[in-house]
Amino acid sequence: MRDARFRQYFWIFIVVLAVVLLKIRIGGSVPYPTSYDKLPGGEIRVHVTAKAVPSDSVGEAWNLEKHVQNGQVIYTANLYMNGHEQLLFPGIGVKQKSPAGVLYASNGKIRFNGQDYEAVDLFVNRDGSAGYIDFAKAKTS
């Protein structure tokens, strides 16, 4: 009896783990942002600002956050749904610096209306108050 109950809990755990891993792998599925630019080549640009998203906000919101770890500055573009952070896309390396700001390489996956995209660029303006994140259609293998 005890063995049967253990097997039952074990299989429930395996199913839950598989669902969680699948959700992480696909990066979530959200509608297209309410405001975005469509770039040549099918890329999508979402504008972000360094403004906190209130926990009682309704709907989708994108923001830009600055994090400092061990003296290193890392910017992330974050997607919030109903006041809760759902996904974040970090700037992982400087691609280009200009008087306007810094362009970082970025990574992370997201699904907009059933189409898979990958974060490719994160731009942060000179004072760190705004920028944008570019998503390219994911390559199918």
Side-chain angles (χ1 to χ4, degrees), residues 5-72:
R5 185 167 282 179
F6 174 77
R7 274 190 243 131
Q8 183 181 12
Y9 287 129
F10 176 77
W11 284 112
I12 290 171
F13 174 75
I14 293 298
V15 169
V16 169
L17 181 63
V19 169
V20 168
L21 290 175
L22 182 62
K23 182 164 175 61
I24 290 171
R25 183 183 175 287
I26 63 171
S29 184
V30 296
Y32 283 106
T34 53
S35 175
Y36 67 94
D37 300 329
K38 195 148 191 147
L39 304 176
E43 289 186 342
I44 290 177
R45 176 170 289 168
V46 179
H47 296 273
V48 294
T49 58
K51 193 173 4 176
V53 176
S55 62
D56 62 350
S57 68
V58 177
E60 170 188 302
W62 288 82
N63 84 338
L64 177 68
E65 290 184 9
K66 177 181 178 180
H67 307 273
V68 179
Q69 286 183 314
N70 300 327
Q72 183 178 6

Side-chain angles (χ1 to χ4, degrees), residues 68-126:
V68 179
Q69 286 183 314
N70 300 327
Q72 183 178 6
V73 175
I74 300 169
Y75 285 96
T76 60
N78 306 301
L79 167 63
Y80 284 81
M81 294 297 283
N82 298 324
H84 299 285
E85 185 178 70
Q86 297 294 308
L87 298 168
L88 65 94
F89 303 94
I92 55 173
V94 175
K95 288 175 92 172
Q96 180 181 354
K97 288 184 179 184
S98 71
V102 179
L103 181 67
Y104 297 92
S106 186
N107 70 359
K109 295 179 182 179
I110 191 168
R111 179 174 281 187
F112 290 121
N113 284 358
Q115 173 66 51
D116 290 331
Y117 285 85
E118 297 174 334
V120 290
D121 292 327
L122 174 61
F123 176 79
V124 179
N125 69 4
R126 190 175 55 182

